[in-house]
Each structure stands twice: as C-alpha cells, then as structure tokens.
Amino acid sequence: LEFRRVLFRSVNHDAHTLTQMLKNISRKHAMVLDEAQTRSWLNKFPMFKYEHTAEVDTLAGLPCAVSLAIPSDTTQNPIRLYHTRTISLQGTNWWNPYRGINGFLLGYEVNQYGMRMVMRAKEVHFESVDDNVFAVPQAYTIIQTAAMDSLMQEVVNDFMN
C-alpha cells in the first residue's frame, strides 16, 4: 500500500499570487494568497539581515552571487542564498522569506513546519506559461493559512514518526 503526499507551490509573478496545494492521500487542499496576504503569512517566520559575499557559484548553468541570510533568531544558523540577475524579473522575491535579496533565487533553504528544506535549481527554461497552470483544480478545497499550516504540520509529524 502506497501513501502519497504531494506539496506543490506556484507563484504567479504577473498576478502576484502564491498558491500552495497539498494532496494527502485522498484529501486535497489549496491556499491562494495575494501579495498582502503572503506578506502577512511570511511575517510569522524569522526576519533576516543579509551579508553579501564575494563568492560566485553556478546553479542551473547561471552565475549566482552568494549571500548569507542571518536569522533574527540567533539559535538558527545562517542560510546560504544563491541569486542571479541573469533572470530579470522586477521584485522577484515578494513571495518568500528572502524578499530583501535583489536577484532571482536559484538556491536557498527554508525552515517551515519543523523541517529545514534545501532548494536548488537544476534547470531553467525560459518559456511562456499559460495561466491555467496556476489554476486550482476543482477537486481541491480552498482553505485559509492557519488550516494549511495545521495540515502541513500533521503531514510532517506523520512523516517524522
């Protein structure tokens, strides 16, 4: 018997919406936030100050500046951020905890739901994306942030046990 849990997060840069969908066995839920709601949701996570380094690395074939995000919570370690200006979108980080970084993030870490998740771009494709990609399927129930956080914590707890 296989149990599948799928988390999908999409950002519509043009519409400034963040959508997070969670499929947990047969339950399907989605959270859709505009920019102000996203900012409010992100405010519960630690704030950061940034140290820019002289280091340059390459992710997904693109040159990246490397910065350190120093959490306001001093019990947490600094996080390495890899960001590029090769991808020229204005205000690219409005939807993530690193909105103080100027450049498109290709690598970062995020602490959510009791887990530290490492994100690294492997490929970048420059192509138009149909708006339907950002649509929440009818089978999903739209829920508020508190309910999504509770469901995500439940999934993490199940995974850890």
Side-chain angles (χ1 to χ4, degrees):
L1 184 62
E2 179 181 331
F3 294 102
R4 294 202 55 162
R5 294 177 183 100
V6 178
L7 174 67
F8 174 73
R9 185 177 285 173
S10 68
V11 177
N12 186 328
H13 186 71
D14 293 336
H16 278 243
T17 57
L18 169 78
T19 302
Q20 181 168 299
M21 289 184 269
L22 174 64
K23 179 181 176 185
N24 187 9
I25 306 173
S26 63
R27 300 182 330 183
K28 298 175 182 178
H29 295 90
M31 171 181 80
V32 180
L33 306 176
D34 64 23
E35 186 171 1
Q37 292 167 319
T38 301
R39 201 173 298 120
S40 177
W41 180 62
L42 289 171
N43 283 340
K44 69 181 174 188
F45 300 108
M47 298 301 292
F48 297 95
K49 66 179 181 178
Y50 302 98
E51 279 184 21
H52 302 288
T53 71
E55 189 178 346
V56 175
D57 205 338
T58 301
L59 286 181
L62 299 172
C64 295
V66 179
S67 297
L68 295 176
I70 313 296
S72 55
D73 176 357
T74 57
T75 64
Q76 294 185 18
N77 293 325
I79 296 168
R80 293 174 64 81
L81 305 175
Y82 301 84
H83 47 99
T84 186
R85 293 191 185 180
T86 305
I87 300 172
S88 59
L89 288 174
Q90 295 295 336
T92 59
N93 297 314
W94 63 268
W95 60 273
N96 68 54
Y98 310 114
R99 52 193 177 272
I101 288 293
N102 185 10
F104 194 90
L105 286 171
L106 292 178
Y108 61 96
E109 297 171 13
V110 65
N111 291 309
Q112 286 184 336
Y113 312 113
M115 294 178 25
R116 187 170 189 143
M117 298 171 270
V118 178
M119 315 295 183
R120 297 285 184 271
K122 292 185 178 201
E123 292 180 283
V124 174
H125 298 275
F126 296 95
E127 57 191 38
S128 295
V129 178
D130 191 278
D131 283 342
N132 290 335
V133 169
F134 301 103
V136 175
Q138 283 187 324
Y140 282 72
T141 302
I142 303 293
I143 59 175
Q144 300 300 313
T145 56
M148 179 61 79
D149 288 343
S150 178
L151 287 172
M152 285 300 301
Q153 194 60 59
E154 181 183 312
V155 168
V156 169
N157 290 345
D158 287 347
F159 177 76
M160 299 302 252
N161 293 328

